[in-house]
Amino acid sequence: MDELSWQEVVAAISQASTLAELKDWRTRWVGKHGRITELMKGLSDLPPEERRRRGQELNQAREAILAALTQREQVLTDRAEERALEAERWDLTLPGREPDTGMLHPLTRVRRRIEDVLLRLGFSLAYGPQVESEWYNFEALNIPPNHPAREMQDSFFVDIPGLVLRTHTSPVQIRAMEQHQGRLPVKIIAPGLTYRRDDDATHVPMFQQVEGLVVDHGISVADLMGTLTVMVQELLGGSVRTRFRSSYFPFTEPSLEMDVTCAVCQGQGCRVCKETGWVEILGSGLVHPTVLRNGGYDPDQVSGFAFGMGIERIAMRLYGLDDLRLLYQNDLRFLRGFRHQGGLR
Ligand SMILES: [Zn+2]
């Protein structure tokens, strides 16, 4: 063999660094027109003695080269696989990427939390229409025609005469009493959307209320105060202090507003609570005899209490917000901040 001995070829093959190099060696030496193949073709021209010796020599060279090629191919293939595996290896120490899942709106979570507390206190859920008749929204609740709530500036009236977007969830009081048909007790909460023509940092034209109504024999102001105090402490934490102030609502008599200690100053007095240490949380009172009568109950036989509160106001308190319009702007950067709020589902 001319330029290279077969031992040199085998040595070169065992050092080859690519499969392409191996292919080249194979073609040049043991391929169809390779050097050894050509030499074997020339054996028949040699005398018999010479032919056998030379034939054995060429066979040995061919076998050695083929074996070297196979071995090196295996090595290079294994290495390529190792590199591929290395490239694909998962780094289990990388921080995970949280999938972009949705979540309940903070107001929905607060509404459900309020519902949870009241359902545990024995209330059941009741609902009414958002487009309400003036009878259910005003008259039945003892709201006289000259009441400010009935003026165009405060309410959204519908083109159909006699209909209004309900200005509070209180009409459900009348509807619930009608549905009970005189049965006792009536003990319902009515969460839902309400509408008024207000728009500032603490008012939006569409907002959410939770109404509560209890009617039974011998219901007193003590029942009202006890129930609402437990509810507020469950909602805002046992350390919150409460107080009741007398107030006026057309559908309750007496009427009471409930205050809780200011979350900002813990009752010390600050700008938020106008230095009083208290902020109003809800309105309530004993159901007015006219309202009981309009619901089909005899005020000489039964009594009741009712309360209503804004879900937004509770949310602002729970989340420490000073502008409730943030809750309605659908800004995902703002809403995502509530994703991991503990305790609120
Ligand atoms: Zn304060």
Side-chain angles (χ1 to χ4, degrees), residues 226-292:
T227 304
L228 296 185
T229 302
V230 168
M231 177 191 76
V232 164
Q233 287 183 338
E234 281 286 302
L235 275 178
L236 304 181
S239 64
V240 72
R241 283 183 296 131
T242 60
R243 73 173 184 186
F244 289 87
R245 283 178 292 108
S246 70
S247 182
Y248 169 76
F249 303 111
F251 32 87
T252 45
E253 179 57 39
S255 299
L256 299 165
E257 280 181 288
M258 188 183 191
D259 293 340
V260 292
T261 38
C262 173
V264 177
C265 64
Q266 308 299 331
Q268 297 304 302
C270 70
R271 228 155 38 89
V272 172
C273 57
K274 300 188 182 76
E275 305 300 335
T276 65
W278 298 95
V279 288
E280 187 213 323
I281 192 108
L282 59 81
S284 62
L286 291 189
V287 183
H288 195 284
T290 302
V291 174
L292 284 172

Side-chain angles (χ1 to χ4, degrees), residues 323-341:
D323 189 339
L324 78 82
R325 288 173 295 193
L326 289 167
L327 290 165
Y328 283 108
Q329 285 166 351
N330 274 339
D331 185 336
L332 287 177
R333 292 167 302 181
F334 171 75
L335 294 175
R336 284 203 179 100
F338 295 92
R339 179 168 298 202
H340 300 297
Q341 285 285 340

Side-chain angles (χ1 to χ4, degrees), residues 2-291:
D2 302 336
E3 310 93 358
L4 293 171
S5 71
W6 65 264
Q7 289 90 346
E8 282 170 327
V9 173
V10 165
I13 286 171
S14 72
Q15 300 294 316
S17 53
T18 66
L19 289 170
E21 267 180 65
L22 291 184
K23 193 178 170 193
D24 189 47
W25 282 114
R26 185 185 290 278
T27 307
R28 276 166 56 200
W29 289 87
V30 291
K32 206 167 159 190
H33 303 289
R35 190 147 193 90
I36 290 181
T37 315
E38 295 296 328
L39 287 171
M40 281 176 148
K41 281 178 195 163
L43 285 179
S44 53
D45 301 335
L46 297 176
E49 246 340 87
E50 180 74 9
R51 190 192 303 163
R52 199 171 73 240
R53 192 190 55 77
R54 185 72 175 142
Q56 280 171 353
E57 198 181 289
L58 287 173
N59 261 330
Q60 188 191 2
R62 187 168 179 276
E63 294 302 319
I65 290 170
L66 283 173
L69 283 168
T70 302
Q71 196 194 358
R72 191 62 186 165
E73 251 169 34
Q74 191 61 54
V75 169
L76 292 180
T77 305
D78 285 352
R79 271 189 204 167
E81 274 174 20
E82 268 169 39
R83 274 198 300 271
L85 282 175
E86 191 65 36
E88 282 175 15
R89 185 185 298 250
W90 291 6
D91 184 350
L92 298 179
T93 65
L94 283 173
R97 261 171 294 184
E98 193 172 358
D100 201 12
T101 51
M103 52 169 247
L104 290 173
H105 191 278
L107 284 176
T108 303
R109 296 206 244 176
V110 171
R111 192 197 77 224
R112 287 186 172 187
R113 177 160 162 172
I114 295 169
E115 289 171 2
D116 274 355
V117 169
L118 288 164
L119 292 174
R120 273 188 277 131
L121 289 173
F123 289 82
S124 51
L125 287 162
Y127 298 95
Q130 292 175 34
V131 181
E132 188 54 282
S133 72
E134 290 189 53
W135 162 258
Y136 282 109
N137 197 76
F138 299 125
E139 277 100 323
L141 291 165
N142 199 35
I143 299 174
N146 61 349
H147 192 275
R150 303 196 58 166
E151 290 173 16
M152 293 294 282
Q153 297 92 305
D154 288 327
S155 306
F156 290 105
F157 285 90
V158 180
D159 281 346
I160 302 166
L163 293 183
V164 62
L165 295 187
R166 66 179 179 189
T167 57
H168 46 187
T169 43
S170 305
V172 184
Q173 287 186 30
I174 304 294
R175 291 180 175 277
M177 282 191 279
E178 285 179 350
Q179 279 161 13
H180 277 70
Q181 297 184 320
R183 290 190 307 275
L184 291 172
V186 179
K187 196 170 182 186
I188 57 103
I189 50 167
L193 291 168
T194 51
Y195 304 86
R196 285 183 211 177
R197 296 173 69 165
D198 292 323
D199 201 1
D200 60 42
T202 54
H203 299 87
V204 284
M206 184 194 77
F207 55 103
Q208 302 184 46
Q209 283 190 337
V210 175
E211 187 83 9
L213 172 70
V214 176
V215 179
D216 206 345
H217 293 293
I219 296 294
S220 70
V221 171
D223 296 307
L224 177 156
M225 294 171 85
T227 304
L228 296 185
T229 302
V230 168
M231 177 191 76
V232 164
Q233 287 183 338
E234 281 286 302
L235 275 178
L236 304 181
S239 64
V240 72
R241 283 183 296 131
T242 60
R243 73 173 184 186
F244 289 87
R245 283 178 292 108
S246 70
S247 182
Y248 169 76
F249 303 111
F251 32 87
T252 45
E253 179 57 39
S255 299
L256 299 165
E257 280 181 288
M258 188 183 191
D259 293 340
V260 292
T261 38
C262 173
V264 177
C265 64
Q266 308 299 331
Q268 297 304 302
C270 70
R271 228 155 38 89
V272 172
C273 57
K274 300 188 182 76
E275 305 300 335
T276 65
W278 298 95
V279 288
E280 187 213 323
I281 192 108
L282 59 81
S284 62
L286 291 189
V287 183
H288 195 284
T290 302
V291 174

